[in-house]
Amino acid sequence: MDSFRIHGPARLAGAVRAGGAKNAALPALAASLLAGAPLEIEDAPRVRDLETMRRLLDHLGVASRWEGSRLHLGPGGAASPDDAPYELVKTMRASVLVLGPLTARRGHARVSLPGGCAIGVRPIDQHLAGLEALGAKVTLAHGYVEARAERLIGTRFRFAVPTVTGTENLLMAASLARGVTVLENCAREPEVEDLARLLVTMGARIEGAGGDSIRIEGVDSLGGGRHRVIPDRIEGGTYLIGAALTGGDVTLTEAQPVALLPLLEALTGCGAEVTRGENWVRVTRAGDLSSRDVVTAPYPGFPTDLQAQYVALMTQARGVATVIETVFENRMQHVAELARMGADIRLDGRTARIHGPTRLSGASVMATDLRASACLVLAGLAAEGETVVDRIYHLDRGYEAMENRLVALGARVERVRRPD
Ligand code: UD1
């Protein structure tokens, strides 16, 4: 298991480009199960989660190959398995994204239940209720969900909670249903909108993606096409937080600033200077940081995927910052590790009160999930001395070559390779 060795403190300065969004690329890959012709995904990030999805697709009969940062997929073989085994699903919850496409295209899917994960229970009841509303017969047995339908039928379905992958699953399923489907209380994340753009390229008829209500007119078949995924707002946002944290000056190039607005508002509010153009954002900080409260919420709220990194930032801000996690029930595991580096954080359930500023000192810490790892790396940049962040495989799930990007921005970070 690899780890990062970080020598702090550092000041991040320069230009950095985030890769294509992991959370847009994953559903784009799953959409290949619907495609009747080859699909090309441009700017797909070289991260572990995508490799897991490629392995799953390979098992399901869709071959893929890289050409630089472009991924060529399928089309799928007709007589392929239609099950997503536990071994793959357990390492990546987003494997559940194959459920909708398989049911819609092949009439049958058998997908392992994801089970608990490091940041909470994360049920998939809404995915299942939506598929049932579309006419699928859904059964649960032996840790697997099985869905069957000769042809899905358009319907009206309201999500009880806005779910990102749930909305994406139903969007894909409804694209091949007979008749019109209206989905309500949808997740409005830019990644949902990006998937809809891809499906439209493939021949789907979708209106309203990115909003609360999406209308899908089912078609008999979908083709292939070429699609460039949007830039990763979470990866980019992590480097911008790093700029504010280290008193640095970072320009994110090829970004979508609008998708970053909740973060940019928070950064301005705590004393960083934010300037932006149509497709770039620059964050600098010369003066002191002041605390600013944040409550995570579905888009366009403050993203839960940047909460841990923001907590690291608040350790360097004057005053008490209250950070409330409302999306997941167990997503504060970075707090205990930050405390080992000298942070003063009082945790009460999903609410963290960060007293700052505190002087962080380098320590050996352990990453528990993807975004918590990013938080610890940022803290290591701000800390005095050496920080070793263990279990970097979590980080590799969603950040492409983070150490190279940080080194290019002036940090001293090295990957220590250790065979598993
Ligand atoms: C996606 C993102 C993840 C991000 C999360 C929230 C991908 C691959 N992953 O995850 O990075 O942290 O959105 O922005 O895009 N819920 C239910 N029932 C369901 C589905 C969800 O109760 O059927 C709940 C979850 O437990 C959670 C909330 O809804 O509390 C939001 O989860 P959801 O949007 O589904 O997250 P994911 O799609 O898994």
Side-chain angles (χ1 to χ4, degrees), residues 212-228:
D212 178 76
S213 168
I214 306 180
R215 183 181 186 279
I216 306 124
E217 199 183 318
V219 294
D220 290 340
S221 65
L222 291 167
R226 179 182 292 179
H227 178 73
R228 186 181 184 84

Side-chain angles (χ1 to χ4, degrees), residues 142-167:
H142 310 296
Y144 278 76
V145 50
E146 202 157 357
R148 263 179 212 286
E150 224 156 78
R151 172 98 194 250
L152 295 173
I153 297 163
T155 187
R156 181 176 285 270
F157 177 76
R158 185 176 177 78
F159 290 98
V161 284
T163 148
V164 177
T165 48
T167 303

Side-chain angles (χ1 to χ4, degrees), residues 329-341:
E329 65 269 28
N330 187 23
R331 204 172 202 184
M332 285 288 179
Q333 292 171 45
H334 41 287
V335 166
E337 296 299 290
L338 286 175
R340 299 186 55 244
M341 298 176 73

Side-chain angles (χ1 to χ4, degrees), residues 185-200:
N185 196 25
C186 294
R188 292 177 282 165
E189 268 69 3
E191 292 77 17
V192 172
E193 208 179 333
D194 198 49
L195 171 66
R197 266 194 297 270
L198 164 63
L199 293 170
V200 167

